[in-house]
């Protein structure tokens, strides 16, 4: 056997390789292949336990409580200034967003400030992202509001009464305040995330593709803006639950428009106009001169509160205001155990959505700022922050994109930013909160509506994606319409189902093609796409571009027969028919089947990463069927795991190992010497079968 020789011409960029043609057997023998040992179940458990115990207890504790790792390394000289500035800026953003998004969750405004303190503090200790701003997040609060809307039956402890308080609150059934429902939901979300972390199932979030998330969030934005219309017009509109809630809500809005509060409409219009102008024209100019964002939302709250107090909007114009805001921190309380079963399913959905969105942002910031994100620890961090928040009247929390971008953009470096932010929020809760009692609700709604612009701009993604991939666009559109027309959770489930169906179809029908040879090279390319490729005499080369498993076996065989024209059963029937008529194809040549001149079928399977037992049996049967009609099958570039499956299924007892090749060129070179004898033997055996 001659060794492999390689020469490279730098002038013409030609690579010349001289080596023997290799079957997989000779390749393994010549280059000393060693099959890795597969440990048994008991040994696998021992190895897993051993690997988990390799790190010291202190290292394990630091991995689960990240603050113990990064805080001792903290450098005040280089990081403190940026963290303080970023923390103050984010705290200012937390105030309007917390109060506004609390309304989305069906909670008093002060609960949004609680969410800006307790979950944020817990995540700063347990999370691995240095720039994610946890707390209120519009989509998550909207999903929580749906559950609060369905389960809350009594007035909240702070005097806030949801618009849709159940009329059967006195029928003897359990009574739950909005805070209790939201806290129970936060507990369920947190426990789900912790369980997913323990089971290492954070990978479930991969089923929420980018198109699905964008379609979902855009549809949720429709729910958000719909929920705020009654505040913008000063009308009372009952909330609807279940499918078609959006159409029913707009029907009620139209019927109640004559009852609108003129002062509320004027205040809403002015607030939206001013905020939109500032965001579109003033903020971009200020951003060029200073890294600090213009706090337009915070100023809108301060000015709106001051004017409302001076003009007595509530007394003189009948406008609804925030109302009583308690000072201090709420005492910890445990949610009623009886409500937990009602929020388990919704808690799982919200847990996946919140984790996916938060982890995506964490990875973006981690890559940009060159630090690692631990997906499993993120599940623990987010889960435990929700569990902590559930004891203090908090709804489920997640990372907010706008706050996170600001936190990173104004110079935040570490999680110290969150501690600075929590300090300022604590001062507001202890001393400043009651100053916002006269703030009109319509101002908060105006802030929310203006902030939704970014989500609605995702509608342009549909047009761009349609031109790039209509299948991805369908996922976007189906998810969006499902969320808007049916409901948030049903729409998300529909989007996941469609995504899984698309994934299954793509995996079930990978590309397949017939290959030809590029003369004077070792290249084999698709005949339909490359005019320079020519068919190899007496051979047919079929390429299958994916895994082979029970779900796509029918597609594989159908593609093989259609593309190559080599259906062994059809060939056998045709030859028998001709032989019975006395028209032996070896003499008359009347058969038009491609099998007339083909003696070798090469299956190019280099893109296969694995195959199951059903696929192994299918390949074995094809080998037998083609052998009966005088066609030898060669298998090319099967991975080691596929060879192991064939061996375990007993297929290698029938298929000779010399029919497995390292590459297509190896198979062509080797099989040329067998073509003549294979054709003769195959036809003779078939004639013998017909005569008997």
């Amino acid at each position: 056997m001659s060794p492999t020789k390689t020469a490279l011409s730098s002038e013409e960029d030609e690579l010349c390789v001289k080596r023997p043609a290799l079957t997989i057997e000779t390749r393994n023998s010549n280059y000393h292949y060693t099959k890795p040992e597969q440990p048994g179940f008991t040994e696998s458990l021992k190895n897993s336990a051993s690997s988990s115990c390799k790190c010291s207890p202190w290292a394990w504790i630091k991995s689960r409580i990240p603050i113990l790792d990064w805080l001792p390394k903290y450098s005040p000289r280089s990081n403190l200034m940026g963290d303080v500035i970023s923390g103050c800026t984010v705290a200012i953003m937390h105030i309007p967003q917390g109060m506004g998004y609390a309304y989305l969750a069906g909670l008093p405004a002060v609960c949004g400030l609680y969410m800006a303190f307790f979950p944020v503090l817990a995540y700063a200790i347990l999370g691995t992202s240095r720039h994610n701003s946890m707390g209120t997040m519009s989509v998550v609060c909207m999903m929580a509001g749906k559950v609060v809307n369905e389960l809350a039956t009594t007035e909240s402890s702070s005097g806030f009464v949801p618009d849709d308080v159940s009329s059967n609150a006195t029928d003897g059934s359990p009574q739950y305040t909005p805070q209790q429902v939201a806290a129970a939901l936060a507990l369920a979300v947190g426990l789900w995330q912790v369980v997913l972390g323990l089971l290492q199932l954070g990978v479930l979030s991969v089923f929420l593709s980018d198109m699905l998330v964008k379609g979902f969030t855009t549809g949720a934005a429709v729910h958000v803006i719909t929920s705020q219309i009654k505040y913008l017009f000063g009308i009372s509109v009952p909330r609807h639950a279940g499918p078609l809630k959006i159409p029913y809500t707009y029907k009620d809005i139209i019927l109640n428009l004559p009852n609108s509060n003129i002062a509320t409409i004027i205040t809403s219009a002015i607030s939206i106009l001013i905020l939109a102008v500032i965001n579109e024209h003033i903020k971009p100019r200020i951003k060029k001169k200073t890294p600090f964002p213009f706090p337009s939302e915070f100023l809108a709250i301060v000015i709106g509160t001051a004017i409302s107090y001076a003009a007595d909007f509530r007394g003189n114009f009948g406008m609804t205001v925030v109302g009583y805001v308690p000072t201090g921190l709420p005492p910890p309380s445990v949610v009623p155990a009886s409500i937990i079963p009602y929020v388990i399913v919704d808690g799982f959905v919200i847990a996946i959505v919140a984790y996916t969105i938060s982890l995506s942002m964490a990875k973006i910031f981690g890559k940009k700022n060159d630090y690692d994100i631990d997906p499993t620890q993120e599940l623990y961090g987010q889960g435990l922050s929700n569990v902590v928040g559930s004891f203090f009247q908090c709804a489920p929390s997640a990372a907010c994109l706008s706050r996170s971008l600001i936190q990173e953009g104004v110079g935040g470096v570490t999680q110290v930013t969150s501690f600075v932010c929590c300090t300022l929020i604590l001062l507001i809760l202890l001393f400043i909160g009651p100053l916002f009692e006269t703030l009109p609700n319509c101002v908060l709604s105006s802030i929310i509506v203006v902030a939704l612009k970014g989500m609605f701009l995702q509608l342009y993604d549909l047009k761009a994606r349609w031109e790039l991939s209509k299948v991805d666009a369908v996922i976007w559109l189906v998810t969006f319409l499902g969320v808007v027309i049916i409901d948030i959770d049903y729409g998300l489930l529909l989007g996941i189902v469609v995504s899984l169906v698309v994934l299954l179809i793509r995996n079930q029908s990978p590309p397949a093609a017939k290959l030809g040879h590029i003369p004077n090279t070792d290249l084999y390319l698709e005949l339909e796409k490359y005019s320079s490729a020519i068919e190899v005499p007496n051979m047919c080369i079929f390429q299958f571009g994916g895994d082979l498993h029970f779900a796509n076996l029918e597609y594989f065989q159908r593609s093989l027969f259609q593309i190559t024209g080599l259906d062994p059963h059809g060939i056998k029937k045709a030859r028998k028919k001709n032989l019975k008529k006395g028209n032996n194809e070896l003499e008359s040549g009347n058969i038009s089947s491609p099998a007339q001149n083909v003696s070798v079928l090469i299956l190019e399977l280099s893109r296969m990463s694995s195959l199951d037992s059903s696929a192994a049996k299918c390949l074995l049967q094809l080998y037998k069927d083609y052998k009966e009609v005088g066609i030898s099958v060669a298998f090319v570039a099967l991975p080691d795991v596929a060879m192991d499956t064939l061996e375990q299924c007993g297929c290698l007892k029938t298929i000779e190992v010399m029919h497995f090749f390292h590459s297509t060129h190896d198979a062509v070179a080797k099989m040329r010497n067998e073509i003549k004898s294979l054709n003769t033997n195959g036809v003779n055996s078939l004639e013998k079968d017909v005569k008997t």
Side-chain angles (χ1 to χ4, degrees):
M1 182 195 69
S2 60
T4 300
K5 296 182 179 180
T6 304
L8 180 63
S9 172
S10 58
E11 295 181 357
E12 299 180 359
D13 292 333
E14 292 183 354
L15 181 66
C16 300
V17 178
K18 184 178 180 181
R19 64 169 176 80
L22 296 173
T23 64
I24 289 182
E25 182 187 30
T26 56
R27 182 196 66 186
N28 293 348
S29 175
N30 295 343
Y31 303 114
H32 310 294
Y33 170 75
T34 302
K35 185 177 180 180
E37 296 183 0
Q38 297 294 332
F41 178 74
T42 304
E43 189 175 353
S44 298
L45 290 179
K46 290 181 180 179
N47 293 338
S48 178
S50 175
S51 61
S52 63
C53 296
K54 284 183 179 179
C55 60
S56 65
W58 177 242
W60 184 86
I61 293 174
K62 289 196 297 183
S63 68
R64 291 294 168 255
I65 309 178
I67 191 174
L68 299 177
D69 182 46
W70 62 263
L71 188 58
K73 305 174 185 176
Y74 186 77
S75 174
R77 176 175 297 180
S78 58
N79 299 332
L80 184 59
M81 182 60 68
D83 286 338
V84 170
I85 294 175
S86 178
C88 294
T89 306
V90 173
I92 292 175
M93 293 186 66
H94 261 299
I95 297 171
Q97 288 189 351
M99 299 176 72
Y101 291 161
Y103 273 21
L104 295 181
L107 298 173
V110 70
C111 290
L113 299 180
Y114 297 156
M115 293 175 66
F117 180 76
F118 294 104
V120 175
L121 195 61
Y123 181 81
I125 297 172
L126 300 170
T128 60
S129 175
R130 304 173 188 174
H131 298 97
N132 266 7
S133 177
M134 305 300 289
T136 53
M137 193 266 188
S138 58
V139 174
V140 174
C141 287
M142 186 69 208
M143 297 177 72
K146 168 185 172 295
V147 183
V148 172
N149 170 48
E150 294 173 352
L151 299 179
T153 56
T154 62
E155 180 177 334
S156 69
S157 58
S158 63
F160 174 82
V161 183
D163 293 334
D164 58 324
V165 170
S166 301
S167 58
N168 61 350
T170 59
D171 62 357
S173 59
Q175 309 296 298
Y176 304 118
T177 65
Q179 289 99 320
Q180 288 176 323
V181 177
L185 186 61
L187 179 62
V189 169
L191 292 178
W192 272 120
Q193 290 175 332
V194 171
V195 170
L196 291 174
L198 292 173
L199 298 177
Q200 304 287 312
L201 292 179
V203 70
L204 288 176
S205 63
V206 301
F207 291 109
L208 300 184
S209 64
D210 183 53
M211 284 295 99
L212 187 148
V213 171
K214 288 185 176 180
F216 172 75
T217 53
T218 307
V222 175
H223 282 264
V224 172
I225 198 170
T226 301
S227 68
Q228 299 306 302
I229 290 178
K230 57 180 175 287
Y231 299 117
L232 297 174
F233 286 87
I235 57 179
S236 178
V237 178
R239 292 186 183 180
H240 296 275
L244 301 178
K245 60 184 293 185
I246 293 294
Y248 287 135
T249 299
Y250 277 106
K251 175 185 175 182
D252 291 334
I253 289 173
I254 294 173
L255 293 176
N256 284 279
L257 281 179
N259 302 322
S260 301
N261 187 299
I262 301 300
T264 301
I265 295 177
I266 295 174
T267 304
S268 301
I270 294 175
S271 300
I272 292 175
L273 179 62
I274 293 176
L275 287 170
V277 170
I278 291 175
N279 289 345
E280 295 297 321
H281 300 286
I282 297 178
K283 277 189 176 181
R285 296 180 180 179
I286 295 178
K287 188 176 180 180
K288 295 178 180 178
K289 299 180 180 180
T290 175
F292 306 111
F294 185 73
S296 55
E297 294 83 1
F298 179 72
L299 291 178
I301 286 181
V302 173
I303 295 173
T305 301
I307 295 177
S308 175
Y309 177 80
D312 191 10
F313 279 1
R314 183 176 186 178
N316 295 331
F317 303 103
M319 295 175 60
T320 57
V321 296
V322 169
Y324 172 66
V325 177
T327 57
L329 298 177
S333 60
V334 180
V335 300
S338 58
I339 197 175
I340 297 297
Y342 298 104
V343 298
I344 286 293
V345 176
D346 292 287
F348 179 77
V349 175
I350 296 176
I352 295 295
V353 172
Y355 171 70
T356 301
I357 296 175
S358 301
L359 181 64
S360 299
M361 283 189 281
K363 287 183 175 180
I364 292 173
F365 291 123
K367 184 176 181 180
K368 181 179 179 181
N369 295 277
D370 194 25
Y371 63 87
D372 295 328
I373 297 296
D374 184 345
T376 300
Q377 182 58 32
E378 281 297 295
L379 277 171
Y380 293 137
Q382 294 178 35
L384 292 175
S385 67
N386 277 305
V387 170
V388 170
S390 69
F391 292 99
F392 300 96
Q393 303 180 22
C394 294
S397 61
C400 175
L401 178 59
S402 59
R403 291 197 309 269
S404 300
L405 288 172
I406 294 300
Q407 181 168 322
E408 192 261 350
V410 300
V413 182
T414 70
Q415 292 92 323
V416 171
T417 297
S418 298
F419 291 109
V420 175
C421 175
C422 288
T423 301
L424 294 180
I425 296 296
L426 179 62
L427 294 176
I428 293 171
L429 288 171
L430 294 177
F431 306 108
I432 307 176
L435 297 179
F436 297 110
E437 291 180 355
T438 59
L439 173 65
N441 288 346
C442 63
V443 174
L444 289 175
S445 297
S446 300
I447 293 173
I448 294 173
V449 169
V450 174
L452 290 175
K453 176 194 171 185
M455 287 192 179
F456 283 113
L457 286 178
Q458 293 180 144
L459 288 167
Y460 289 103
D461 292 338
L462 178 61
K463 179 180 178 182
R465 184 60 62 171
W466 184 267
E467 298 175 354
L468 182 63
S469 171
K470 290 181 173 55
V471 174
D472 289 341
V474 167
I475 295 175
W476 193 105
L477 188 60
V478 168
T479 306
F480 172 79
L481 293 178
V483 170
V484 172
I485 297 176
I486 307 176
D487 206 350
I488 290 179
D489 47 2
Y490 292 107
L492 178 61
L493 178 61
L494 182 62
I496 293 176
V497 170
V498 172
S499 297
L500 292 177
V501 170
V502 169
L503 181 63
L504 179 62
I505 292 175
R506 285 174 172 172
N507 192 38
Q508 192 173 2
S509 53
K514 188 176 181 180
L515 304 185
H517 181 226
I518 304 298
N520 302 318
T521 72
D522 64 344
L523 300 178
Y524 293 83
L525 305 176
E526 295 183 32
L527 287 167
E528 290 187 356
K529 296 181 179 179
Y530 296 88
S531 58
S532 297
I534 60 175
E535 292 193 50
V536 180
N538 303 116
M539 297 186 188
C540 185
I541 306 172
F542 174 78
Q543 182 184 63
F544 191 70
D547 290 338
L548 193 58
H549 46 75
F550 71 94
N552 64 2
L553 288 179
E554 184 178 349
Y555 167 80
F556 168 72
Q557 295 185 75
R558 184 172 65 251
S559 301
L560 173 62
F561 299 157
Q562 289 178 352
I563 292 175
T564 65
L566 302 176
D567 183 350
H569 300 290
I571 295 171
K572 193 171 184 177
K573 288 180 181 179
R575 287 180 176 175
K576 284 184 177 181
K577 182 178 180 182
N578 286 334
L579 287 172
K580 286 181 180 180
K581 291 180 179 180
N583 297 323
N584 192 309
E585 67 271 20
L586 293 177
E587 299 177 359
S588 63
N590 291 330
I591 296 179
S592 58
S593 170
Q596 181 181 4
N597 298 316
V598 174
S599 297
V600 176
L601 171 63
I602 298 176
L603 299 181
E604 206 280 357
L605 304 173
S606 61
R607 300 180 183 178
M608 176 189 296
S609 60
S610 65
L611 77 162
D612 59 12
S613 59
S614 298
K617 294 177 182 178
C618 174
L619 294 180
L620 174 61
Q621 189 60 47
L622 285 174
Y623 176 82
K624 293 178 180 179
D625 292 342
Y626 279 114
K627 187 175 182 180
E628 287 184 8
V629 297
I631 297 178
S632 182
V633 179
F635 303 93
V636 167
L638 265 73
D640 293 335
V641 65
M643 294 296 297
D644 292 340
T645 303
L646 290 172
E647 182 178 3
Q648 292 168 4
C649 293
C651 298
L652 298 187
K653 295 179 181 179
T654 304
I655 306 176
E656 300 177 10
V657 291
M658 65 180 64
H659 286 262
F660 296 93
F661 294 91
H662 174 70
S663 70
T664 303
H665 204 52
D666 291 307
V668 171
K670 279 280 189 180
M671 299 303 290
R672 274 178 180 156
N673 299 326
E674 302 183 22
I675 289 177
K676 187 174 181 179
S677 60
L678 286 171
N679 277 333
T680 303
N681 294 337
V683 174
N684 290 339
S685 63
L686 182 59
E687 289 177 345
K688 189 180 296 183
D689 291 340
V690 173
K691 291 178 181 179
T692 56

